Amino acid sequence: MSTMRCSGDAGCSLARSSTRATPRKADRARASSPGCSGMKPYRLFWKLFFAFWVAMMLTFAGTIGFFLTTGAPPPPPDGDALLRPIVPIVSAVVTSLSASLLLAWYLTRPLRHVRWALDQLAGGRFETRVKSQIGSRRDEIADLGGYLDATAERLERLEASRQQLLHDISHELRSPLSRLRAAIGLARTEPADVQAMLARVDLEADRLNGLLDDLLTLSRIEAGSSGLRCDCIDVIELLHAICADAEFEAKASGRSLSIRAPGAFITVVDGDLIYRALENVIRNAVKYSEPATVVDVAAQVARDGDLLEVVVGDRGPGVPDEMLVSIFDPFVRGPAERTGATGFGLGLAIAQRALLAHGGEIFACPRAGGGLSVTLRLPRRAPEGSRQLAG
């Protein structure tokens, strides 16, 4: 098992921490916004309470000051009964009016900034930020500005991802479609090569079908946990079945596969997604490994049986340190020039999102001796009946 790890490589630790954080940017943004941790409730309430209390105290102080400066003890003499109350009344009105104006300005000024930011977001300008305009105040309105900025940041990332995804999909579809048109054109001009061109058309159609299948899987995962199935399966048994198929492919290409996965790990997952995640990682390792090398797959149950860790190590060209995180993004390919391997760059993206949907994680790091090591971690989810019995 030790050969599957990164031998304490600092880059592996950095890649692991970065990869864990990347898929959870929205959570990190919420956690970093004011008020998400250690928030003191009703701060604005106490500010309002204090403001009105100060206004009342000033009113009482003005009234007492009036009687002290005039030297007339309350109640005033009969001759001044109508005149003398005017001064404390005016003092109370002026004090209350001043406090109300100050309070209204204090409340409406940041709310105007929030309204402006909402108008900007409604217009599609997701780069808008409002927290800096609110200032250094620490109350619920400042928290609202922080939440609004986190929402704007999330929307900005989603819009950028959408545009990038549309660009990548159009680019990926253009290449096989161009080859299809070229094959059809050659079949028309060269009747003797019709069979070869038909074989080429069939190959490109299979590639397009694989791309669309991956895109549909990715879309289903992105739709959220509501679309996940609940299958009670033994993931280690599933892993052995995947490795048996992958070993057959590896031997056909001059490679071999070794698996060490004792025991069982029964949990409730979406069986199709977990199958795709494990298969994508293992088949990637087989595809990118050099001929006459061994792909190592090791699995162990950790954390008192509540976590399954699968480590897949290949002997391929590896991945540069700066790509250890981005290889899990859609349509990002690693350096495959030495192996001539091709693909759409969706396999690891599907694997990452499948694991995240089940509360797990995946990260990559350089493998000692060359190649890449990919670690998948999946927590156990007990069947519904077991949870009810345990309760």
Side-chain angles (χ1 to χ4, degrees):
M1 182 69 67
S2 61
T3 59
M4 298 298 299
R5 299 188 180 276
C6 297
S7 304
D9 194 303
C12 180
S13 301
L14 177 61
R16 183 184 309 128
S17 59
S18 301
T19 309
R20 284 189 198 136
T22 300
R24 299 180 174 87
K25 288 181 180 178
D27 297 336
R28 187 177 66 242
R30 289 193 294 269
S32 61
S33 60
C36 287
S37 58
M39 184 179 71
K40 298 179 179 179
Y42 309 118
R43 287 171 294 178
L44 189 59
F45 168 81
W46 289 113
K47 285 185 178 182
L48 296 176
F49 175 82
F50 181 73
F52 283 115
W53 180 79
V54 169
M56 294 298 297
M57 291 300 101
L58 290 176
T59 301
F60 287 127
T63 303
I64 295 174
F66 167 77
F67 289 120
L68 290 178
T69 54
T70 58
D78 295 338
D80 298 333
L82 297 178
L83 179 62
R84 290 183 177 272
I86 293 178
V87 176
I89 291 174
V90 170
S91 174
V93 170
V94 171
T95 303
S96 300
L97 181 62
S98 301
S100 299
L101 289 174
L102 183 63
L103 188 61
W105 175 85
Y106 181 79
L107 292 177
T108 58
R109 182 172 177 270
L111 290 177
R112 286 197 299 269
H113 292 309
V114 171
R115 184 181 64 180
W116 168 82
L118 288 173
D119 289 339
Q120 296 294 309
L121 292 179
R125 291 176 285 275
F126 302 128
E127 71 280 0
T128 302
R129 300 293 183 270
V130 71
K131 185 65 170 66
S132 59
Q133 301 184 32
I134 291 179
S136 58
R137 57 189 294 157
R138 299 176 180 274
D139 53 27
E140 284 81 359
I141 296 180
D143 294 342
L144 178 61
Y147 292 132
L148 188 60
D149 284 355
T151 302
E153 181 182 356
R154 175 64 174 166
L155 289 173
E156 186 178 17
R157 286 198 306 269
L158 288 175
E159 177 63 18
S161 299
R162 185 186 69 85
Q163 294 180 359
Q164 184 64 38
L165 184 62
L166 289 175
H167 175 271
D168 292 336
I169 291 175
S170 62
H171 174 75
E172 295 297 338
L173 289 174
R174 185 181 296 113
S175 297
L177 288 176
S178 299
R179 290 191 291 267
L180 280 173
R181 295 187 63 181
I184 293 173
L186 289 174
R188 287 174 178 172
T189 58
E190 300 290 342
D193 296 333
V194 169
Q195 294 302 322
M197 293 304 103
L198 288 177
R200 182 68 182 186
V201 168
D202 187 59
L203 174 63
E204 297 300 336
D206 287 341
R207 289 180 177 175
L208 283 174
N209 185 65
L211 172 60
L212 294 176
D213 184 50
D214 287 344
L215 287 174
L216 288 174
T217 301
L218 196 62
S219 175
R220 184 163 72 92
I221 301 174
E222 295 285 2
S225 59
S226 59
L228 298 182
R229 294 166 44 188
C230 293
D231 304 321
C232 185
I233 63 173
D234 184 350
V235 180
I236 291 183
E237 181 181 355
L238 180 66
L239 180 63
H240 279 281
I242 294 172
C243 288
D245 294 337
E247 185 177 11
F248 179 79
E249 297 179 9
K251 289 181 178 179
S253 58
R255 303 170 178 90
S256 59
L257 186 144
S258 170
I259 177 172
R260 298 185 302 277
F265 187 78
I266 300 175
T267 183
V268 176
V269 294
D270 187 314
D272 289 340
L273 291 184
I274 296 301
Y275 181 91
R276 291 290 297 274
L278 294 171
E279 183 189 40
N280 287 345
V281 174
I282 293 172
R283 293 189 67 182
N284 264 8
V286 172
K287 180 170 63 176
Y288 287 101
S289 289
E290 298 286 354
T293 59
V294 179
V295 174
D296 292 316
V297 179
Q300 64 175 355
V301 180
R303 214 165 60 191
D304 297 329
D306 290 333
L307 180 71
L308 176 65
E309 180 177 282
V310 180
V311 183
V312 181
D314 63 45
R315 291 300 181 186
V319 173
D321 291 343
E322 61 272 14
M323 291 187 63
L324 289 175
V325 175
S326 62
I327 58 173
F328 296 99
D329 294 334
F331 298 106
V332 174
R333 298 178 179 88
E337 292 80 8
R338 286 190 291 169
T339 62
T342 58
F344 295 109
L346 290 173
L348 291 180
I350 292 174
Q352 183 198 53
R353 284 152 180 77
L355 286 169
L356 290 177
H358 291 84
E361 63 176 346
I362 181 174
F363 55 88
C365 59
R367 188 184 182 191
L372 186 70
S373 178
V374 179
T375 301
L376 306 88
R377 289 176 177 166
L378 179 68
R380 184 192 299 274
R381 292 173 57 198
E384 188 66 29
S386 300
R387 288 197 295 265
Q388 293 174 355
L389 290 175

